[in-house]
């Protein structure tokens, strides 16, 4: 049989709704009709895309991979048929934390002036690929050590380097220092973002790293334990720009390597404005 756009749209609706009934209602179909559409697609591909054996519908690993390809295919078709409409859709810039740091506001304002017809959505997603792997964004800002998402067709470009800072509570004895070293932090519990952070114990020489770690899953929790005085942190300068807090003192670290910041996107691009966004991001950072 021939696979049509309705098969792709049906699958994407199921993936986004995680529910056959809601996906069918969204497409103005009956649930049995949408189920047949999914079965036809799976039969054509020879793989199972959706696990329907549990009460909670979930994509299989093959389904996650196909979702990215299907979304890119639909975006390409829509742009080819109606390029003006596709440009009116928001272009999505994902980040796990701190976006472009001190350059974020400039990027947003310059984009709005230059591209009033296309909304720029800056989205924080607490995952290593900042939404690129799941197809939730068109471009992702990633901070090192960077692992390129395991997504077909990913392209990356280096954007900038940010110096590392220590983050300590404002009533800590360390808060009054003009600069700090990694050794100054070694005797304190260390807050580590284990999901998306750029800090690890490997920053310290062997045997000299903090012995107590406070694991957290996002920037908000990371800040909370530092404000409480339960831990110190190490981060990139972008965090200080995006998360200033009177209860946190950001202090330059003199012996920590900088953090690489890269942009990542998929080819073919998932939004026609992606090249413009990449050019503007580089221009904003250069200025």
């Amino acid at each position: 049989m021939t696979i049509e756009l309705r098969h792709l749209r049906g699958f994407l609706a199921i993936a986004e709704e995680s529910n056959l009934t809601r996906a069918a209602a969204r497409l103005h179909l009956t649930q049995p009709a949408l189920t047949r559409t999914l079965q036809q697609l799976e039969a054509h591909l020879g793989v199972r895309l959706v696990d329907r054996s549990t009460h909670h519908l979930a994509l299989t690993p093959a389904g996650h991979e196909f979702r990215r390809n299907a979304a890119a295919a639909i975006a390409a078709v829509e742009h080819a048929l109606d390029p003006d409409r596709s440009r009116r859709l928001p272009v999505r810039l994902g980040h796990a934390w701190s976006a472009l740091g001190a350059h974020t506001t400039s990027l947003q304002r310059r984009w709005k002036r230059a591209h009033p017809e296309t909304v720029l959505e800056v989205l924080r997603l607490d995952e290593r690929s900042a939404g690129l792997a799941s197809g939730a964004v068109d471009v992702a800002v990633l901070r090192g050590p960077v692992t390129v998402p395991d997504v077909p067709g990913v392209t990356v470009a280096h954007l900038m380097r940010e110096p590392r800072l220590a983050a300590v509570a404002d009533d800590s004895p360390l808060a009054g220092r003009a600069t700090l070293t990694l050794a100054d932090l070694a005797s304190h519990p260390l807050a580590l973002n284990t999901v998306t952070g750029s800090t690890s114990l490997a920053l310290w020489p062997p045997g000299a790293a903090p012995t107590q770690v406070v694991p957290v899953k996002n920037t908000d929790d990371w800040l909370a334990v530092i404000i409480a005085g339960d831990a110190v942190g190490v981060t990139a300068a972008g965090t200080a720009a995006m998360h200033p807090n009177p209860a946190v003192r950001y202090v330059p670290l003199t012996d920590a390597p900088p953090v690489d910041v890269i942009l990542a996107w998929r080819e073919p691009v998932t939004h026609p404005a992606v090249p413009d966004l990449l050019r503007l991001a580089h221009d904003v950072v250069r200025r």
Side-chain angles (χ1 to χ4, degrees), residues 74-174:
I74 290 293
V77 170
E78 289 179 344
H79 176 56
L81 297 178
D82 190 352
D84 290 336
R85 177 183 178 277
S86 63
R87 278 199 170 271
R88 290 193 296 271
L89 295 174
V91 59
R92 303 158 300 172
L93 178 67
H95 65 103
W97 47 280
S98 299
L100 264 63
H103 305 287
T104 305
T105 299
S106 179
L107 176 73
Q108 291 174 302
R109 292 177 177 175
R110 288 184 57 184
W111 179 269
K112 189 173 183 177
R113 290 195 299 269
H115 304 278
E117 76 288 355
T118 304
V119 173
L120 171 62
E121 292 185 350
V122 180
L123 307 172
R124 184 184 123 186
L125 296 103
D126 293 322
E127 55 179 85
R128 178 61 65 178
S129 73
L132 192 66
S134 63
V137 302
D138 303 297
V139 180
V141 181
L142 306 177
R143 281 177 170 80
V146 172
T147 300
V148 177
D150 185 18
V151 181
V154 169
T155 301
V156 299
H158 189 270
L159 183 63
M160 59 181 170
R161 286 188 174 89
E162 293 180 331
R164 275 192 167 95
L165 310 174
V168 301
D170 66 331
D171 60 353
S172 165
L174 300 176

Side-chain angles (χ1 to χ4, degrees), residues 36 94 131 199 223 229 238 257:
R36 286 194 299 273
T199 301
L223 283 169

